């Protein structure tokens, strides 16, 4: 079955270019030229993943994302202005799974979408009973959720991937390069703070403990410390 992508972009030329490329790569594409139409289509659950421009003519992409996150964990990739780090940081705080700066390379966009969808599909094929417990956290791969003291954490698709990789290597250091590849499906590039933003969000959602259970190992990566 073809993966369904919703493309929310007000630049007609760019939207048509990306839609044509995505279609040629085997995606079923639905399009929206403004935030309200995009939000309506996304909430209708007629797509598997959303590509969302931040700068839209009616309501901002960030506001669309906020409303989406209040209702669904549908994976979202943001299109941001190149070099605008503030938008990217806020996007991750609101619940974006990844971002691509504009003007974007259609081939890179396809690679990002396929990597995210592959990870989701893999977990959905996992034995529903293959739960794993790490202290007060319980990972249920078949349901793609992690519970803390019996309550499901409100995680994005990418936050789930990052945390479950760290948990699988609890007590050991996971190098940033490896975590980026395993959890996000791409190489770590210079000045890319995507992973840092996801770690910051996870620490907050886990309770902002002191010391944090996700520890930074300077110059190497991160380590998950199982609370005693």
């Amino acid at each position: 079955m073809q993966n369904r992508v919703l493309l929310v972009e007000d630049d007609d030329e760019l939207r048509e270019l990306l839609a044509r490329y995505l279609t040629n790569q085997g995606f079923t594409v639905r399009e929206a030229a403004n935030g309200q139409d995009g939000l309506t289509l996304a909430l209708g659950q007629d797509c598997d993943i959303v590509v969302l421009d931040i700068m839209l003519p009616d309501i901002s992409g960030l506001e669309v994302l906020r409303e989406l996150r209040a209702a669904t964990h549908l994976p979202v990739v943001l299109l941001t202005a190149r070099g605008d780090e503030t938008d990217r940081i806020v996007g991750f705080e609101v619940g974006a799974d990844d971002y691509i700066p504009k003007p974007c390379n259609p081939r890179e966009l396809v690679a990002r979408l396929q990597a995210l969808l592959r990870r989701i599909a893999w977990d959905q094929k996992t034995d529903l009973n293959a739960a794993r417990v790490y202290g007060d956290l319980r990972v249920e791969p078949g349901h793609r959720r992690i519970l803390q003291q019996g309550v499901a954490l409100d995680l994005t698709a990418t936050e789930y991937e990052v945390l479950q990789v760290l948990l699988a290597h609890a007590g050991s250091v996971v190098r940033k390069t490896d975590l980026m590849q395993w959890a996000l499906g791409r190489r770590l590039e210079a000045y890319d703070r995507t992973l840092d933003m996801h770690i910051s969000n996870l620490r907050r959602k886990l309770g902002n403990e002191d010391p944090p259970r996700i520890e930074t190992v300077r110059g190497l990566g991160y380590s998950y410390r199982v609370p005693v």
Side-chain angles (χ1 to χ4, degrees):
M1 187 176 68
Q2 290 183 318
N3 286 312
R4 304 164 300 169
V5 57
L6 171 61
L7 181 56
V8 187
E9 167 60 64
D10 65 313
D11 184 321
D12 294 339
E13 184 176 350
L14 177 59
R15 189 180 68 254
E16 291 169 7
L17 169 68
L18 294 178
R20 187 164 55 249
Y21 192 88
L22 289 166
T23 299
N24 290 338
Q25 295 298 312
F27 287 86
T28 297
V29 182
R30 299 199 69 178
E31 302 177 42
N34 60 66
Q36 189 57 59
D37 288 348
L39 181 60
T40 299
L41 289 172
L43 291 176
Q45 296 293 309
D46 195 25
C47 59
D48 301 306
I49 195 165
V50 179
V51 177
L52 176 64
D53 186 18
I54 284 184
M55 299 297 292
L56 294 169
D58 50 351
I59 56 177
S60 77
L62 293 175
E63 185 56 37
V64 172
L65 181 57
R66 284 191 184 92
E67 297 201 32
L68 274 180
R69 282 293 168 258
T72 176
H73 290 151
L74 193 67
V76 176
V77 176
L78 292 179
L79 296 178
T80 69
R82 187 174 297 276
D84 194 339
E85 186 174 7
T86 300
D87 277 347
R88 292 199 294 271
I89 292 173
V90 174
F92 284 128
E93 289 174 346
V94 173
D97 291 284
D98 205 350
Y99 79 93
I100 292 195
K102 295 168 59 178
C104 67
N105 183 325
R107 185 175 178 183
E108 181 183 6
L109 175 60
V110 167
R112 299 280 186 95
L113 296 179
Q114 289 175 335
L116 188 51
L117 290 168
R118 267 198 309 271
R119 295 194 301 275
I120 293 172
W122 174 264
D123 280 340
Q124 289 174 340
K125 292 178 182 178
T126 303
D127 181 358
L128 295 180
N129 296 318
R132 303 186 299 273
V133 176
Y134 306 88
D136 63 345
L137 296 187
R138 176 184 174 90
V139 182
E140 298 182 349
H143 296 292
R144 286 188 61 80
R145 67 182 182 182
I146 298 176
L147 292 79
Q148 184 175 31
Q149 296 181 352
V151 179
L153 294 169
D154 185 18
L155 305 177
T156 68
T158 300
E159 288 167 357
Y160 168 85
E161 295 292 345
V162 171
L163 183 53
Q164 67 94 12
V165 168
L166 290 173
L167 288 170
H169 297 83
S172 301
V173 177
V174 180
R175 292 180 178 273
K176 290 184 71 173
T177 51
D178 293 334
L179 185 55
M180 192 77 170
Q181 189 66 55
W182 294 338
L184 279 82
R186 57 186 173 91
R187 295 174 58 185
L188 179 66
E189 299 178 358
Y191 309 112
D192 187 344
R193 297 194 60 211
T194 302
L195 196 52
D196 299 328
M197 294 300 100
H198 287 306
I199 292 294
S200 177
N201 288 341
L202 284 170
R203 285 171 173 157
R204 174 173 50 81
K205 292 180 179 183
L206 288 167
N208 275 332
E209 298 161 316
D210 187 17
R213 60 176 71 191
I214 300 178
E215 301 173 330
T216 299
V217 182
R218 193 171 301 278
L220 289 177
Y222 300 100
S223 176
Y224 183 88
R225 173 185 56 82
V226 178
V228 177

